[in-house]
Amino acid sequence: MTAPKLDAAGVNALLEVAFPDIGRAGPYVRDVRPGGVRVVLPYREGLLRPGGVISGPTLMSLADTAAYALVLSHIGDQLMAVTSQLNMSFLRGAQPGDITADAELLRLGRRLAVCDIRLWTEAPDRLAAQANVTYAIPG
């Protein structure tokens, strides 16, 4: 697997350039490794939907952000990489708490990056959702 070009601090700095409001509420890249990243979105009550679980749009946004962070960590400062496909499966209600997203590169090509994202609040063996995300990389 290709070694990352950026560490967690570098990716967080790029995310803050691309999305200036991100620093106030997260998400934050916690770990970058060859072929993977871990992103955590701190819990706040505004993430809940009726029924007391984390909302689907919040999980989808975090999955997309984790994929973007993963791609940036491996291709560097190319902020115009964009989502071209996102497929989300909701597996169980995400209980209130910090949301963790583990993102893994399935394929990194010259024009496309395909990522697998797994999200949870309770434990990694109690996934709340899983996403496959494809990013188009500018040429």
Side-chain angles (χ1 to χ4, degrees), residues 63-99:
D64 188 40
T65 302
Y68 189 48
L70 176 60
V71 171
L72 290 178
S73 72
H74 285 75
I75 67 171
D77 185 0
Q78 294 189 45
L79 295 176
M80 290 307 297
V82 295
T83 309
S84 63
Q85 182 271 332
L86 188 150
N87 182 38
M88 190 84 172
S89 297
F90 298 98
L91 306 173
R92 67 170 42 90
Q95 298 304 307
D98 292 350
I99 311 165

Side-chain angles (χ1 to χ4, degrees), residues 106-118:
L106 299 178
R107 180 181 187 281
L108 178 60
R110 290 180 328 138
R111 297 282 184 208
L112 294 175
V114 181
C115 312
D116 176 65
I117 319 296
R118 294 167 187 258

Side-chain angles (χ1 to χ4, degrees), residues 16-32:
E16 287 180 18
V17 168
F19 307 102
D21 288 343
I22 207 166
R24 286 187 240 164
Y28 303 102
V29 178
R30 301 293 167 118
D31 178 53
V32 173

Side-chain angles (χ1 to χ4, degrees), residues 33-86:
R33 61 196 176 281
V37 299
R38 176 169 282 181
V39 180
V40 176
L41 178 62
Y43 172 75
R44 61 185 186 281
E45 277 191 37
L47 303 178
L48 296 179
R49 57 156 288 145
V53 295
I54 305 288
S55 73
T58 298
L59 296 172
M60 291 180 80
S61 176
L62 181 58
D64 188 40
T65 302
Y68 189 48
L70 176 60
V71 171
L72 290 178
S73 72
H74 285 75
I75 67 171
D77 185 0
Q78 294 189 45
L79 295 176
M80 290 307 297
V82 295
T83 309
S84 63
Q85 182 271 332
L86 188 150

